[in-house]
């Protein structure tokens, strides 16, 4: 089953428009009549047909027709019928479309219909012919429709009856982790029954949720080419490209097939070989499938692909074609972006934790957990590019795809390939739904083991050529049933080129581990040792053995978004923030959206928002929340930095994104607006970073790169709220070794100097050429933190900070790149500065332009300091008038001309 998204076929048709849909119980005709009868399904009065959304789900179809309110807004989801209550039939739908071929069928040519994924099972009808597709949410379906196509070249009528999962389950009143867990009986996403971070999805994501394509080939078809790069020596100056393809001869005679492979470096400025090519000939018997491996192609000086923060991520465009002897033209073609790199992983003897290496270099993992881009599966290349771009901009190097969600789509992996994000992909097993949850679930689920393995193997074939794909994992906090785990363990074995051809196996290059709590992850033995997931005292992250193991796959925290997002995703009656005096108990809507408090009385953590003073409005609450978000997540990663390679090998934040407007664990919200956490994390995860150990007040340099920093200068300056500098020190001639954390010195604040209760600290690290390498800024007060001195007159007496912008605008006036010079020429620190982009023509509650990339935000400038901020975004149309707004904690909001 070749993924047609990589099928380089000019005659291919993407069926992503023109669909109509109807609830099956409202349609009297069957599939044959729908595709051959005189009455053609259409959106007309007195018919059940409505506009269908494909790719999409039943809910996205209903939403686009105005038949339901937005399920993710406020408490709307409570009014939508749940499949567990109304039955599967309520969400069983017909989808209908028609198409004409893009080109005539040549002699001995074939026509194929491919669904890249359907949830959960479908019956397909085309011009009166039919086929029942297999069950399973994560399975490609490719149907030979050559004999079903209208021979006169006219319109072809397609109808698809989509059935929901067999076991949608029921949602208990108290919610729970995966509802009643029944969805675990099927091979499907499990989050749809709700979790402690999301509501239940009423249709369980039923629908044709991924691409539908019609494509043509000649008599010989290419199926799932497999590309593997190996390196004969540790210098990585020479590579072997292994290529194995499946050749399907649909003809009734033996065919001599000519296979050609070419690879072209996408960025010709990258160092390395720019073009590669090879051609071989093989005979394929009639009506048969042949797995054929080309001789390994020698590549001198390949351009190496590196993870984010370790180097560039060059990609080669690999084209594979097949010509069938005796037939004119190409029989089939395929293309894929490919990166030359070698990934290895082992248990580190120093820490007993899992350690990853790329091209022989150890990678200190700082990454995030990913659920799904959108809870209703409104997936797009553009949204993937924005979200993965955010992760790269935060300087993260790994994304873990949580098992209760999807086998992520090729477009997700394309973005990760381009941005250098390593990907840990899990299969569809969770502890809650597969044997470790309450009420009881079953470790032997799903019920159909053969189907689960079929989906797993097909997923491997779909994704295995991506450079970013790093690790296969059997499940979240659980491993698959023994027979499933054994099958994957045997199938996903790393093959050395010395012992065989790694491209001949289903995936001979990547590690498989049984679950997210095994094999050097957490305690390594399956015990629940991930977390915590709540507000923390920031200083505690720096404690030796704060986390008892080397690699934490999940550690979570707070995540309230900006006030504009609250107003955009909740009705006005829900805009009141939690009452601090009442223990931060949220209103019903905030509770439904899974709010985590910024105080924890059980663990003696006082209100971290109240540390900045009593909040008096939603805007005030959210502004203070962003400062806390920034501080919490920066401290989390910097605590791991302190113990890099001595105690820790990696950490993954729970979560870095949000599939709905949730109020916990996110660096940016569902609308793609960054929180303060995004920018705190962006600093903490810098490849070369200067930081303050909040527990010891040691100044540290963290070097995760491949090179040593020599003859550097570190400058540390403390300021009080009046702009005075009670302490400063310069550390010259600093050498920071590669992959080490270096203690450079210590600040004396709150020890010998404590006349002021709050201090600001600026750390600046410069190279031998005086180029700024890393900058970090802190607001400090002893545990547990009291920043009331930043309230009152310091905040109310606004200062004048100058912002001067220049811009470059694309020819179509849709893409903007703005550079802003920010100057603080005052005598005090300009604190908590922030840019926003609004649509000056907007009249609604939310006027923001989203997404926007900011090189920095929620930043601060000391007296007489300047900063250059880069801002980029694309507007949706010429009716959008972008306005750049600038404000800060002690800086009044103003518009900045550009």
């Amino acid at each position: 089953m070749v993924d047609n998204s990589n099928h380089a076929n000019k005659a291919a048709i993407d069926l992503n428009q023109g669909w109509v849909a109807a609830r099956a119980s409202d349609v009297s005709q069957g599939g044959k009549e729908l595709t051959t009868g005189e009455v053609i399904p259409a959106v007309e009065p007195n018919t059940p047909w409505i506009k269908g959304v494909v790719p999409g789900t039943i809910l996205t179809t209903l939403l686009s027709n105005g038949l339901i309110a937005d399920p993710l807004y406020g408490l709307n989801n409570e009014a939508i019928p749940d499949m567990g209550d109304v039955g599967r039939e309520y969400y069983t739908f017909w989808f209908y479309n028609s198409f004409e071929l893009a080109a005539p069928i040549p002699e001995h040519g074939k026509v194929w219909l491919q669904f890249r994924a359907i949830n959960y099972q479908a019956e397909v009808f085309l011009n009166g012919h039919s086929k029942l597709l297999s069950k399973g949410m994560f399975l490609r379906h490719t149907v030979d429709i050559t004999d079903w196509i209208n021979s006169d070249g006219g319109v072809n009528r397609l109808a698809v009856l989509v059935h929901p999962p067999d076991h949608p389950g029921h949602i208990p009143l108290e919610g729970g982790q995966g509802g009643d867990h029944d969805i675990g009986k099927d091979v499907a996403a499990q989050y749809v029954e709700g979790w402690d971070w999301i509501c239940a999805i009423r249709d369980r994501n039923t629908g044709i949720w991924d691409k539908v394509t019609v494509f043509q080939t000649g008599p010989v078809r290419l199926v799932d080419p497999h590309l593997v790069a190996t390196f004969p020596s540790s210098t990585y100056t020479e590579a072997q490209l292994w290529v194995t393809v499946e050749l399907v001869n649909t003809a009734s005679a033996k065919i001599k097939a000519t296979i050609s492979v070419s690879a072209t470096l996408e960025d010709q400025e990258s160092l390395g070989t720019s073009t590669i090519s090879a051609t071989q000939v093989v005979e394929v018997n009639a009506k048969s499938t042949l797995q054929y491996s080309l001789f390994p192609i020698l590549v001198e000086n390949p351009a190496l692909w590196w993870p984010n923060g370790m180097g560039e991520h060059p990609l080669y465009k690999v084209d594979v074609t097949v010509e069938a002897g005796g037939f004119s033209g190409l029989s089939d073609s395929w293309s894929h972006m490919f990166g030359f790199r070698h990934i290895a992983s082992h248990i580190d003897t120093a820490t007993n934790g899992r350690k990853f290496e790329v091209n022989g270099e150890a990678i200190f993992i700082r990454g995030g957990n990913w659920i799904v881009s959108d809870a209703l599966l409104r997936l797009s290349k553009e949204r993937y590019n924005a979200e993965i771009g955010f992760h790269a901009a935060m300087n993260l190097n790994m994304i873990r795809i949580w098992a209760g969600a999807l086998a992520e789509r090729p477009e997700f992996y394309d973005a990760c390939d381009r941005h250098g994000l390593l990907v840990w992909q899990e299969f569809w097993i969770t502890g809650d739904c597969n044997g470790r949850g309450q009420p009881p679930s079953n470790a032997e689920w799903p019920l159909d083991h053969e189907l689960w393995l079929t989906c797993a193997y097909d997923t491997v074939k779909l994704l295995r050529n991506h450079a970013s794909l790093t690790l296969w994992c059997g499940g979240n906090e659980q491993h698959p049933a023994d027979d499933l785990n054994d099958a994957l363990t045997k199938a996903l074995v790393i093959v050395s080129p010395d012992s065989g051809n790694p491209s001949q196996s289903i995936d001979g290059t990547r590690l498989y581990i049984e679950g997210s709590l095994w094999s050097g992850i957490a305690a390594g033995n399956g015990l629940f040792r991930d977390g915590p997931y709540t507000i923390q005292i920031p200083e505690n992250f720096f404690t030796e053995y704060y986390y008892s193991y080397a690699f934490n796959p999940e550690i979570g925290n707070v995540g309230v978004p900006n006030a504009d997002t609250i107003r955009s995703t909740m009705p006005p009656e829900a805009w009141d923030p939690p009452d601090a005096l009442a223990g931060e108990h949220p209103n019903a809507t905030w509770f439904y959206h899974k709010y985590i408090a910024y105080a924890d009385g059980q663990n003696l953590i006082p209100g971290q928002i109240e540390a900045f003073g009593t909040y008096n409005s939603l805007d005030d609450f959210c502004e203070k929340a962003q400062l806390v978000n920034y501080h919490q997540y920066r401290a989390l990663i910097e605590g791991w930095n302190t113990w890099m390679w001595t105690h820790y090998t990696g950490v993954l934040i729970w979560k870095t994104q949000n599939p709905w407007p949730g109020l916990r664990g996110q660096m940016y919200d569902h609308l793609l607006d960054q929180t303060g956490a995004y920018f705190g994390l962006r600093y903490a995860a810098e490849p070369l970073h200067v930081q303050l150990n909040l527990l010891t007040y040691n100044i540290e340099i963290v070097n995760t790169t491949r090179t040593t920093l020599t003859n550097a200068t570190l400058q540390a300056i403390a300021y009080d709220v009046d702009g005075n500098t009670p302490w400063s020190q310069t550390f010259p001639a600093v050498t920071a070794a590669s992959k080490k954390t270096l203690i450079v010195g210590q600040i004396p604040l709150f020890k010998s100097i404590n006349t002021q209760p709050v201090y600001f600290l600026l750390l600046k690290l410069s190279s031998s050429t005086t180029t700024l390498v890393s900058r970090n800024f802190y607001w400090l007060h002893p545990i547990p933190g009291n920043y009331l001195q930043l309230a009152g007159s310091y905040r109310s007496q606004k200062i004048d900070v100058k912002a001067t912008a220049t811009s470059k605008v694309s020819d179509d006036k849709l893409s903007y790149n703005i550079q802003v010079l920010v100057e603080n020429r005052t005598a005090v620190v300009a604190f908590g500065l922030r840019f926003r982009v609004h649509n000056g023509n907007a009249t609604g509650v939310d006027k923001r332009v989203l997404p926007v990339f900011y090189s920095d935000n929620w930043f601060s400038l000391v007296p007489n300091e300047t900063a250059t901020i880069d801002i980029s975004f694309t507007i949706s149309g010429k009716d959008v008038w972008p306005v750049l707004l600038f404000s800060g904690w002690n800086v009044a909001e103003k518009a900045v001309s550009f």
Side-chain angles (χ1 to χ4, degrees):
M1 298 180 182
V2 68
D3 172 20
N4 195 53
S5 64
N6 298 317
H7 215 278
N9 191 316
K10 295 181 180 179
I13 306 168
D14 286 332
L15 297 180
N16 55 12
Q17 294 180 351
W19 290 89
V20 295
R23 184 170 284 112
S25 59
D26 294 337
V27 178
S28 59
Q29 303 99 319
K32 184 173 182 179
E33 188 175 356
L34 288 172
T35 58
T36 60
E38 293 184 2
V39 178
I40 298 176
V43 180
E44 295 177 351
N46 303 317
T47 74
W49 297 98
I50 58 178
K51 180 182 177 181
V53 178
V54 176
T57 65
I58 306 303
L59 286 187
T60 57
T61 286
L62 296 175
L63 180 60
S64 71
N65 287 275
L67 298 177
I68 60 172
D70 182 357
L72 307 187
Y73 180 88
L75 298 176
N76 286 350
N77 197 53
E78 291 294 271
I80 299 173
D82 188 84
M83 188 182 296
D85 299 326
V86 297
R88 297 173 63 249
E89 294 77 11
Y90 187 86
Y91 287 107
T92 300
F93 267 63
W94 278 106
F95 288 85
Y96 176 89
N97 207 342
S98 61
F99 64 91
E100 297 181 39
L101 293 183
I105 307 174
E107 184 180 5
H108 302 290
K110 305 292 285 186
V111 185
W112 310 86
L113 171 65
Q114 184 179 78
F115 300 87
R116 204 165 70 175
I118 295 175
N119 188 28
Y120 185 64
Q121 187 175 29
E123 301 172 59
V124 178
F125 296 83
L126 180 65
N127 299 332
H129 303 274
S130 66
K131 183 177 179 62
L132 176 65
L133 303 183
S134 170
K135 297 178 181 181
M137 185 174 179
F138 311 109
L139 187 63
R140 293 171 293 171
H141 309 274
T142 305
V143 182
D144 183 351
I145 59 172
T146 310
D147 296 334
W148 300 0
I149 293 293
N150 280 329
S151 58
D152 60 2
V155 173
N156 298 281
R157 297 169 61 181
L158 172 66
V160 185
L161 181 60
V162 179
H163 299 275
D166 292 340
H167 303 90
H170 294 80
I171 311 303
L173 289 177
E174 67 275 13
Q177 308 286 87
D180 67 358
H181 305 144
D182 256 22
I183 195 70
K185 295 176 180 177
D186 296 333
V187 187
Q190 297 181 0
Y191 76 89
V192 294
E193 278 205 69
W195 230 266
D196 61 0
W197 41 265
I198 196 170
C199 63
I201 308 302
R202 301 307 187 188
D203 69 346
R204 306 297 189 265
N205 284 157
T206 299
I208 306 172
W209 65 276
D210 204 349
K211 296 174 61 173
V212 183
T213 311
V214 176
F215 64 98
Q216 297 184 39
T217 69
V220 178
R221 179 175 160 228
L222 287 167
V223 177
D224 289 326
H226 189 190
L227 312 175
V228 173
T230 61
F231 300 86
S233 76
S234 59
T235 63
Y236 297 94
T237 57
E238 182 180 275
Q240 293 174 314
L241 177 62
W242 306 75
V243 183
T244 294
V245 300
E246 286 185 29
L247 300 170
V248 179
N249 182 0
T250 62
S252 56
K254 180 185 294 185
I255 289 180
K256 183 176 291 186
T258 301
I259 307 168
S260 298
V261 178
S262 65
T264 304
L265 187 60
E266 183 181 40
D267 181 3
Q268 297 295 332
E269 294 183 0
S270 296
L271 297 177
T273 299
S274 59
T275 58
I276 306 160
S277 62
T279 299
Q280 293 183 25
V281 179
V282 61
E283 287 189 340
V284 188
N285 290 329
K287 301 289 185 181
S288 68
T289 298
L290 172 69
Q291 185 186 62
Y292 181 74
S293 298
L294 283 76
F295 297 116
I297 304 168
L298 183 64
V299 184
E300 297 284 353
N301 297 311
L304 294 179
W305 185 95
W306 290 97
N308 192 33
M310 293 293 283
E312 299 300 316
H313 339 294
L315 295 171
Y316 288 78
K317 182 176 181 289
V318 177
D319 294 294
V320 181
T321 63
V322 58
E323 297 179 54
F327 303 92
S328 62
L330 290 179
S331 184
D332 202 0
S333 59
W334 176 93
S335 65
H336 203 289
M337 302 308 295
F338 182 75
F340 282 85
R341 90 288 181 270
H342 175 71
I343 293 179
S345 183
H346 62 273
I347 304 298
D348 177 44
T349 56
T351 61
N352 201 34
R354 181 146 299 280
K355 186 176 186 178
F356 292 89
E357 295 178 351
V358 177
N359 304 331
E361 299 282 352
I363 310 297
F364 187 60
I365 298 298
R366 295 171 296 186
N369 282 272
W370 174 284
I371 309 300
V372 63
S373 182
D374 177 69
L376 304 185
L377 302 188
R378 293 168 293 190
L379 311 177
S380 70
K381 178 180 178 180
E382 293 74 20
R383 187 175 174 95
Y384 278 136
N385 286 338
E387 292 202 64
I388 302 309
F390 280 173
H391 281 75
M394 286 187 283
N395 292 307
L396 302 181
N397 55 23
M398 178 175 276
I399 296 176
R400 172 190 172 220
I401 309 302
W402 179 71
L406 305 183
E408 262 303 348
R409 301 297 86 195
E411 292 78 10
F412 168 90
Y413 278 91
D414 289 342
C416 289
D417 290 346
R418 293 189 182 280
H419 287 286
L421 271 297
L422 302 172
V423 182
W424 162 336
Q425 175 71 62
E426 295 185 348
F427 297 109
W428 319 285
I429 298 291
T430 68
D432 293 282
C433 291
N434 295 89
R436 305 181 83 172
Q438 297 294 330
S441 51
N442 194 322
E444 290 299 311
W445 291 351
L447 299 177
D448 190 337
H449 286 201
E450 183 179 355
L451 173 63
W452 193 91
L453 279 177
T454 299
C455 289
Y457 293 153
D458 195 57
T459 294
V460 172
K461 292 179 180 179
L462 176 66
L463 303 177
R464 63 190 177 186
N465 292 311
H466 286 279
S468 55
L469 180 57
T470 301
L471 175 73
W472 298 110
C473 180
N476 167 66
E477 298 176 343
Q478 177 63 303
H479 58 75
D482 288 345
D483 61 315
L484 299 177
N485 190 54
D486 289 346
L488 289 181
T489 300
K490 292 175 182 177
L492 300 174
V493 174
I494 296 176
V495 177
S496 167
D498 296 331
S499 59
N501 182 342
S503 69
Q504 289 181 346
S505 65
I506 188 170
D507 186 354
T509 64
R510 293 176 183 87
L511 177 73
Y512 167 77
I513 63 174
E514 59 188 305
S516 67
L517 299 176
W518 281 263
S519 190
I521 308 298
N525 56 7
L527 294 176
F528 289 103
R529 295 295 184 268
D530 40 8
Y533 300 92
T534 56
I535 192 79
Q536 301 291 302
I537 296 294
E539 288 82 353
N540 290 351
F541 289 118
F542 296 84
T543 305
E544 187 171 12
Y545 296 111
Y546 165 80
Y547 182 65
S548 300
Y549 309 98
F551 196 116
N552 193 342
E554 296 182 13
I555 180 169
N557 210 301
V558 292
V560 163
N562 294 303
D564 286 336
T565 293
I566 299 291
R567 283 189 279 264
S568 182
T569 58
M570 298 179 185
E573 59 268 23
W575 291 354
D576 291 332
D579 186 349
L581 298 179
E584 276 200 40
H585 294 301
N587 63 51
T589 305
W590 285 46
F591 180 81
Y592 193 78
H593 286 252
K594 315 297 183 179
Y595 173 74
I596 286 183
Y598 282 70
D600 185 349
Q602 183 177 355
N603 291 304
L604 302 179
I605 301 175
Q608 298 295 289
I609 291 179
E610 292 79 15
F612 291 90
T614 302
Y615 43 89
N616 53 35
S617 67
L618 175 65
D619 289 283
D620 190 31
F621 178 88
C622 290
E623 182 175 15
K624 290 169 179 173
Q626 302 322 309
L627 297 173
V628 178
N629 293 342
Y630 188 115
H631 195 36
Q632 286 281 318
Y633 285 97
R634 178 177 61 177
L636 189 164
I637 293 298
E638 289 185 338
W640 249 260
N641 291 343
T642 291
W643 302 104
M644 177 177 66
W645 301 129
T646 55
H647 294 332
Y648 298 143
T649 61
V651 61
L652 301 175
I653 293 172
W654 183 266
K655 320 176 280 354
T656 42
Q657 55 88 230
N658 219 325
W660 80 309
L663 300 180
R664 64 169 64 187
Q666 57 189 350
M667 306 301 105
Y668 56 91
D669 60 44
H670 182 248
L671 303 184
L672 304 184
D673 194 10
Q674 300 97 329
T675 71
Y678 176 102
F679 298 99
L681 187 58
R682 175 175 167 81
Y683 273 102
E686 288 177 308
L688 189 54
H689 177 63
V690 61
Q691 68 179 41
L692 178 69
N693 184 316
L694 296 179
L695 193 66
T696 64
Y697 288 166
N698 288 335
I699 301 172
E700 301 169 342
I701 297 175
V702 184
N703 186 355
T704 64
T705 73
R706 294 182 283 141
T707 58
T708 295
L709 177 69
T710 59
N711 199 27
T713 300
L714 193 157
Q715 188 178 23
I717 310 174
Y719 294 82
D720 61 25
V721 295
D722 297 319
N724 301 313
T725 56
W727 174 84
S728 66
Q729 187 170 348
T730 298
F731 303 89
V734 175
T735 296
S738 169
K739 301 170 191 170
K740 298 286 187 181
T741 297
L742 172 71
I743 298 174
V744 179
Q746 189 178 63
I747 65 171
L749 302 183
F750 311 121
K751 295 183 179 180
S752 62
I753 301 175
N754 59 5
T755 56
Q756 294 277 0
V758 174
Y759 289 106
F760 299 115
L761 178 69
L762 176 65
L763 301 177
K764 296 176 71 173
L765 178 65
S766 302
S767 70
S768 58
T769 60
T770 71
T771 300
L772 183 65
V773 173
S774 176
R775 176 190 181 278
N776 213 342
F777 179 88
Y778 296 85
W779 50 98
L780 301 173
H781 187 275
I783 296 174
N786 182 331
Y787 305 106
L788 294 180
Q789 195 179 2
L790 301 183
S793 61
Y794 176 78
R795 188 183 190 189
S796 62
Q797 294 177 2
K798 304 300 185 183
I799 61 174
D800 183 23
V801 175
K802 186 177 180 181
T804 308
T806 58
S807 65
K808 293 182 180 179
V809 184
S810 62
D811 292 338
D812 59 8
K813 307 298 183 183
L814 297 180
S815 296
Y816 289 75
N817 290 283
I818 303 171
Q819 190 170 83
V820 188
L821 175 64
V822 186
E823 302 173 85
N824 178 15
R825 300 304 181 189
T826 74
V828 299
V829 171
F831 184 59
L833 304 175
R834 179 193 178 199
F835 286 99
R836 292 176 292 160
V837 181
H838 276 202
N839 176 8
N841 290 330
T843 57
V845 169
D846 192 354
K847 298 178 175 62
R848 290 171 297 176
V849 173
L850 296 172
V852 179
F853 283 83
Y854 303 93
S855 64
D856 205 358
N857 238 349
W858 297 104
F859 62 100
S860 301
L861 293 178
V862 301
N864 293 309
E865 188 180 20
T866 65
T868 300
I869 309 299
D870 295 314
I871 302 170
S872 62
F873 57 91
T874 300
I875 60 175
S876 57
K878 294 183 179 179
D879 59 334
V880 177
W881 170 35
V883 175
L884 182 62
L885 300 177
F886 174 60
S887 61
W889 181 265
N890 57 341
V891 175
E893 183 173 273
K894 61 183 176 181
V896 179
S897 300
F898 63 91

